[in-house]
Amino acid sequence: MDPAPDARVTLDPENWDEFRALAHQMIDDTVDYLQNVRNRPAWRPMPAEVRDSFRGSVPQEGMGAAAAYADFKERILPYPNGNIHPRFWGWVQGTGTPLGMMAEMLAAAMNPHMAGFNQAPALVEQQVVRWVAELMGYPENSSGVLVAGGTIANILGLAVARHAKCGFDVRQDGLQGSGNHAKLLVYGSTETHNWVFKGLEFMGLGRAAFRSVPVNPDYEIDLAALRKMLERDKAAGHLPICIIGSAGTVNTGATDNLESLAEIAREHNTWFHVDGAFGAWARISGRLKSLVAGLERSDSIGLDLHKWIYLPFECACVLVRDADLHQAAFASTASYLAVADRGVMAGGIPFANLGLDLTRGFKALKVWMAFKVHGIAHIARVIEQNVGDVQYLVERIRQTEELELLAPVPLNIACFRYVRAGQTDEVLNRLNQEILLRVQEQGIAIPSGTTLNGKFAIRVANTNHRTRREDFDALLEAVTRLGREV
Ligand SMILES: *Cc1c(COP(=O)(O)O)cnc(C)c1O
């Protein structure tokens, strides 16, 4: 029997006016929070009692929205990992934008199911994918889909490559099927991001399927070594299925010679995939475009929108030049997902046929809003500013005797260290690790670290639209001060 009307339950607010007031408060508070981000330290460690306070068991009775929000403001909001701060340059992360925050809210309000369903949200995603394809120089009839991150975007590209080039029905038979097919191999430089290992392991090819090609002094793939490996492997009866080029490596921002990789891939009938996680976006700048020339000749690209397009996490895109091959690698059907001629299911669930996700969120809206609100020309200027500011940082490093640049800086990443005359690399490595940790712990700035040819580097990756040159001055001032102190 239906309970009495006053005993019915729902998760909508009991009092919409109260909810509206709290929602306005949340917006006011978060706009303040973003506007004042520069006035806070780049990072602060969490007090032990706050850290320990997250151990309580699951609440059986609710505390109400106002109390939960107060708790959020006290224990969560003050302790992020720092990436929205103007002096955050660690790893490769994005900052997000105020507009992106609001677009996330609008998307969550609509909460459409993005397996497909041919209504406005699906058209937005299709338009966004076409825009990204256009910006990357891909043909209009190419295919793509938004996913959570560069890792999964790249892995999907590799999965299409495997399906297209393996020479047997890998979807039906799997790698265990016939047992007598050639060993499938994938090529990329030693600087390839570690998504490739996750992907190869997950796809059952294993890490051993990756041929790690050495790099030249600019950290770009050694083309002669690649050619030699391909020939040797083919002579041994193996089947090269994919060459991976990097447009912007994670360590130093190097870009492989993509024109030559496209040629080599064609000569050897392999797939050519580009990991352009952040670097691909150099293409939208007239000034930087030539750095990633050849990108547009690839068979697939994985790229992030939550790094160098500055959008809130998560958002990335895989593009596949041949739409049929993209579809063929993933499309599947089930009676409960059958397409109808009319009604809500008209048009089917095209996005679910382009990757692994079925239920998907409306990530496309924040991209659509950002491109419309700012325009590509403006976003390109921010990217150019990031590159120009890193060149400024490099100039200052060159002018400072106690600092040493450890790699060429073709794009937005600089690797350097503090040096003392007469010290071994081992001592300098420990010294620079300590400097890095103190710069972070003192909340001055957040670079990250990496090791290049046995030398520990303080690494700055600038995908931060809030950074100013004075922020880099503050970083160098701290590094040299700490270098003398430690
Ligand atoms: C960040 C990055 C990835 C992985 O992307 P996620 O969005 O973190 O999954 C892959 N390749 C490169 C070059 C990257 O910088």
Side-chain angles (χ1 to χ4, degrees):
M1 218 181 74
D2 203 23
D6 57 355
R8 295 204 60 82
V9 286
T10 168
L11 299 177
D12 277 337
E14 263 170 45
N15 180 328
W16 283 95
D17 290 334
E18 259 174 39
F19 177 79
R20 185 187 307 274
L22 181 65
H24 282 254
Q25 188 63 49
M26 287 172 172
I27 290 183
D28 281 342
D29 291 348
T30 44
V31 170
D32 283 345
Y33 179 77
L34 293 179
Q35 190 177 1
N36 296 321
V37 61
R38 179 171 280 283
N39 305 331
R40 295 190 295 269
W43 185 75
R44 72 181 94 176
M46 287 179 82
E49 65 275 15
V50 179
R51 186 171 291 280
D52 291 344
S53 72
F54 288 98
R55 297 229 179 97
S57 56
V58 61
Q60 289 298 332
E61 299 299 328
M63 70 196 315
Y69 177 58
D71 196 13
F72 162 81
K73 279 211 294 194
E74 189 187 323
R75 292 193 298 139
I76 300 175
L77 191 61
Y79 305 109
N81 65 313
N83 56 294
I84 70 169
H85 195 276
R87 288 191 298 279
F88 185 101
W89 312 292
W91 307 275
V92 189
Q93 300 188 7
T95 43
T97 63
L99 177 88
M101 174 181 88
M102 296 315 298
E104 290 275 54
M105 189 193 78
L106 302 179
M110 285 185 82
N111 196 30
H113 193 291
M114 296 295 284
F117 302 104
N118 199 20
Q119 295 300 305
L123 299 185
V124 169
E125 179 153 346
Q126 274 156 6
Q127 182 165 40
V128 160
V129 168
R130 274 200 311 276
W131 283 345
V132 174
E134 182 186 331
L135 293 170
M136 293 301 135
Y138 262 37
E140 211 185 308
N141 59 1
S142 55
S143 173
V145 69
L146 298 185
V147 289
T151 297
I152 190 69
N154 281 305
I155 291 174
L156 293 184
L158 188 56
V160 181
R162 181 183 65 165
H163 183 259
K165 296 294 183 185
C166 69
F168 59 95
D169 188 350
V170 67
R171 290 191 63 184
Q172 173 59 32
D173 299 334
L175 294 171
Q176 316 189 88
S178 68
N180 59 3
H181 57 76
K183 183 170 173 169
L184 311 178
L185 295 174
V186 171
Y187 299 74
S189 86
T190 51
E191 294 295 302
T192 308
H193 189 279
N194 83 345
W195 67 263
V196 73
F197 297 115
K198 281 191 182 171
L200 290 170
E201 289 165 17
F202 186 67
M203 286 158 62
L205 288 160
R207 288 176 163 243
F210 186 67
R211 288 287 193 250
S212 194
V213 184
V215 289
N216 66 23
D218 290 333
Y219 294 91
E220 298 161 4
I221 193 166
D222 178 337
L223 296 167
L226 170 65
R227 281 208 166 86
K228 233 180 261 161
M229 280 177 168
L230 282 163
E231 264 140 39
R232 200 188 51 204
D233 287 335
K234 281 164 87 171
H238 303 322
L239 182 62
I241 53 168
C242 183
I243 295 172
I244 298 167
S246 294
T249 59
V250 64
N251 264 337
T252 70
T255 294
D256 295 327
N257 184 333
L258 303 177
E259 299 277 14
S260 296
L261 291 184
E263 285 303 319
I264 295 171
R266 205 177 47 180
E267 283 163 28
H268 290 271
N269 190 30
T270 73
W271 193 266
F272 176 34
H273 175 80
V274 172
D275 174 4
F278 61 96
W281 294 105
R283 200 173 190 284
I284 70 173
S285 152
R287 285 223 305 269
L288 302 171
K289 189 176 176 181
S290 62
L291 292 173
V292 294
L295 176 74
E296 68 287 350
R297 294 173 63 185
S298 58
D299 295 300
S300 55
I301 309 178
L303 72 182
D304 276 307
L305 291 117
H306 59 208
K307 286 177 174 172
W308 227 2
I309 300 295
Y310 314 98
L311 286 171
F313 304 137
E314 304 150 346
C315 199
C317 182
V318 58
L319 292 177
V320 180
R321 173 180 303 277
D322 184 325
D324 293 338
L325 287 177
H326 191 181
Q327 179 91 8
F330 296 108
S332 66
T333 55
S335 57
Y336 49 85
L337 297 173
V339 182
D341 309 334
R342 291 166 26 219
V344 177
M345 202 41 155
I349 48 171
F351 301 122
N353 286 331
L354 299 176
L356 298 176
D357 297 317
L358 178 57
T359 302
R360 307 167 63 251
F362 195 9
K363 290 192 268 288
L365 185 64
K366 59 192 170 191
V367 187
W368 193 82
M369 294 278 281
F371 285 6
K372 284 180 87 82
V373 170
H374 307 300
I376 290 299
H378 185 77
I379 297 172
R381 280 198 294 277
V382 186
I383 288 175
E384 288 167 359
Q385 179 175 283
N386 287 155
V387 173
D389 288 353
V390 168
Q391 288 306 323
Y392 166 82
L393 175 72
V394 166
E395 263 329 291
R396 288 220 42 201
I397 291 168
R398 287 211 173 98
Q399 287 159 8
T400 310
E401 208 166 311
E402 297 160 279
L403 299 176
E404 179 187 22
L405 206 59
L406 289 178
V409 183
L411 204 58
N412 61 332
I413 298 181
C415 293
F416 67 101
R417 66 176 177 176
Y418 183 85
V419 285
R420 261 184 217 151
Q423 296 289 6
T424 62
D425 277 344
E426 207 183 310
V427 171
L428 291 176
N429 287 355
R430 268 182 284 135
L431 174 62
N432 279 278
Q433 279 171 39
E434 185 58 30
I435 294 171
L436 172 65
L437 292 177
R438 290 196 196 182
V439 168
Q440 292 182 356
E441 283 168 351
Q442 292 176 13
I444 298 164
I446 319 280
S448 58
T450 190
T451 301
L452 298 170
N453 294 322
K455 296 174 183 175
F456 183 84
I458 299 171
R459 175 180 161 287
V460 163
N462 189 12
T463 50
N464 190 326
H465 64 91
R466 300 197 168 109
T467 297
R468 302 175 190 153
R469 293 192 176 185
E470 70 205 47
D471 296 314
F472 285 140
D473 294 339
L475 171 69
L476 294 188
E477 191 277 321
V479 168
T480 46
R481 175 175 56 78
L482 289 165
R484 289 172 204 146
E485 253 171 55
V486 173

